[in-house]
Amino acid sequence: MRHLLSPMDFTTEELDKLFDLANDIENNPAKYAHACDGRILATCFYEPSTRTRLSFESAMLRLGGQVLGFSDAGSSSASKGESVSDTIKVISGYADICAMRHPKEGAPMVAAEKSDIPVINAGDGGHQHPTQTLTDLLTIRSLTGTIGNFTIGLCGDLKFGRTVHSLIHALERYEGINFIFISPQELRVPDYITEELKANNIPYEEVTNLETVMPQLDFLYMTRVQRERFFNEEDYIRLKDFYILDTAKMELAKPEMLVLHPLPRVNEISVEVDKDPRAAYFKQAKYGVYVRMALILTLLELV
Ligand code: NCD
C-alpha cells in the first residue's frame, strides 16, 4: 500500500505517468466516470480549506466514487481529545482512501503509520503540500510541454508558505531550474531549503524587489501572506501588501511568462491581471482536480 506524504514519494518517471493519466482524464472524462464506483474517499480536514477539500471531493465524485468527512477539527472527535492515530484506524474501516489536512507538521505521516488505507497529505502546517505541488507541476507541463530549463520567481510569504516549500523540493530533481526568491527579509525562505540548494549546486538568488527581476522570469509563483501562521497581527498588517502584482508590473515581464498562484488570493494579484493571457492561476486550480483524480486511481491501484 502506498501513501502520498511528500512530493518526493514518487520518482520523476512515476510523476510523468501520473501527469499523462491526468491529461488523459482531462481529454476523455467519460472513460473514467465509473472508475471508482463503490469506493469511498474520506476527507479529514483539521484546518480550513475550500479548494483542496472540494477538489478532492470533486475528483472522487467525477470518478463515480463517494465522499465523507469533516471540514474542521471542532466538528470531529479531535475536539474530544482523540488522537490522529485512533481517528485513522477508525476511518480505515469506513473509507478506502483518506485525504488529511492538519495544522501540525507531520500529522499525516503519523496517521499513515497506523492506517490500513492510503493516506494523502493535503497540507501539514507550514511544512508540505504535495498535492498542490503535483497541481503546479502538471500545470507547468501541460501549458509548456515540459518541466525544466526555466527561471521561476517565487514571491511573497516564502517562510510560512508550504506550497512554496514543496514546490522547491520537487523542482530540485529537474534539469536547469533557476530559482529567484522574492520576499521581505522577515519572510525569507527557510535556511534548511537554501542549504539544500547549495549542497546540490542549484542556482538561486534572494531579492526583495519584484520589478527588477520581472524581465528574467519564465514563471512567477505568487503567494498569499499566511496570516494564520503569524505570531502577531501587527507584523501581518505591515507585510500583507508588500507585493501587489498589477498590469504595470506585468508589462515588465516576458510575453510568454506565466503567473501561477495556489489560491486563495488576497491582495497580491490585482483583479485586473486576471484578463492577461499569462494569468494561469484559474487554469491551475482546474488541473488540481485532474491530478487528484489521477492520484486517487494510482493509490487505489485502479490503473
Ligand atoms: C494553499 C495552502 O493551503 O497552503 N492553498 C491551497 O491549498 N490551494 C495556499 C494558501 O492557503 O495560501
Side-chain angles (χ1 to χ4, degrees):
M1 189 182 56
R2 258 186 115 160
H3 307 285
L4 178 77
L5 301 172
S6 146
M8 308 303 259
D9 291 353
F10 282 71
T11 64
T12 49
E13 290 75 27
E14 286 173 324
L15 287 182
D16 268 330
K17 267 181 75 183
L18 189 85
F19 299 148
D20 288 341
L21 177 60
N23 287 141
D24 194 50
I25 294 170
E26 177 189 5
N27 297 324
N28 307 290
K31 197 166 127 192
Y32 298 92
H34 295 286
C36 279
D37 277 358
R39 310 286 176 132
I40 298 174
L41 164 78
T43 52
C44 298
F45 276 59
Y46 295 85
E47 207 186 53
S49 157
T50 316
R51 163 174 14 249
T52 304
R53 187 170 55 81
L54 293 186
S55 66
F56 266 112
E57 296 190 359
S58 169
M60 192 49 155
L61 295 171
R62 286 186 190 281
L63 291 168
Q66 289 178 292
V67 294
L68 51 80
F70 53 87
S71 55
D72 75 285
S75 66
S76 80
S77 289
S79 63
K80 299 181 189 166
E82 187 176 50
S83 69
V84 164
S85 306
D86 280 4
T87 304
I88 194 70
K89 269 276 169 217
V90 174
I91 300 279
S92 293
Y94 298 168
D96 303 293
I97 185 164
C98 172
M100 178 178 286
R101 169 169 289 194
H102 204 287
K104 282 214 183 96
E105 282 84 0
M109 290 73 173
V110 172
E113 276 169 27
K114 291 284 152 59
S115 178
D116 301 323
I117 58 174
V119 174
I120 301 169
N121 176 2
D124 61 324
H127 185 219
Q128 297 265 357
H129 194 345
T131 61
Q132 182 62 47
T133 298
L134 299 184
T135 304
D136 303 339
L137 296 178
L138 173 65
T139 307
I140 291 173
R141 207 190 76 149
S142 302
L143 298 182
T144 67
T146 178
I147 305 171
N149 300 309
F150 57 70
T151 296
I152 182 166
L154 295 113
C155 178
D157 187 347
L158 309 187
K159 179 179 181 182
F160 296 115
R162 56 190 169 198
T163 63
V164 167
H165 305 160
S166 273
L167 182 59
I168 297 169
H169 207 42
L171 284 175
E172 283 173 19
R173 296 192 296 188
Y174 292 91
E175 288 296 313
I177 309 286
N178 183 28
F179 292 101
I180 303 186
F181 302 135
I182 309 148
S183 75
Q185 187 60 23
E186 294 93 326
L187 299 178
R188 282 182 50 225
V189 77
D191 289 343
Y192 78 89
I193 292 183
T194 48
E195 267 150 35
E196 201 174 86
L197 293 173
K198 271 186 225 148
N200 293 311
N201 285 320
I202 298 171
Y204 74 89
E205 228 182 293
E206 291 185 274
V207 300
T208 47
N209 190 293
L210 173 58
E211 283 93 326
T212 51
V213 294
M214 216 49 193
Q216 287 170 254
L217 306 179
D218 300 302
F219 293 95
L220 172 60
Y221 194 94
M222 292 298 293
T223 62
R224 168 181 75 88
V225 175
Q226 306 276 301
R227 181 182 202 160
E228 64 277 33
R229 310 214 192 277
F230 272 67
F231 297 110
N232 69 67
E233 187 71 5
E234 270 161 53
D235 285 349
Y236 169 72
I237 290 169
R238 187 167 50 81
L239 295 168
K240 73 181 173 70
D241 293 328
F242 205 93
Y243 300 105
I244 298 180
L245 182 65
D246 53 17
T247 45
K249 291 196 188 82
M250 286 299 285
E251 275 171 29
L252 304 170
K254 291 183 187 173
E256 68 286 357
M257 183 198 78
L258 292 176
V259 184
L260 302 174
H261 190 308
L263 304 178
R265 141 178 76 184
V266 187
N267 288 329
E268 59 279 358
I269 303 179
S270 311
V271 180
E272 63 192 23
V273 176
D274 298 358
K275 290 195 289 289
D276 191 305
R278 295 169 291 181
Y281 30 93
F282 290 116
K283 279 187 208 149
Q284 187 184 355
K286 231 170 156 185
Y287 281 118
V289 177
Y290 301 129
V291 90
R292 289 182 174 99
M293 290 170 80
L295 180 65
I296 291 170
L297 290 173
T298 303
L299 295 180
L300 287 178
E301 298 177 2
L302 295 171
V303 280

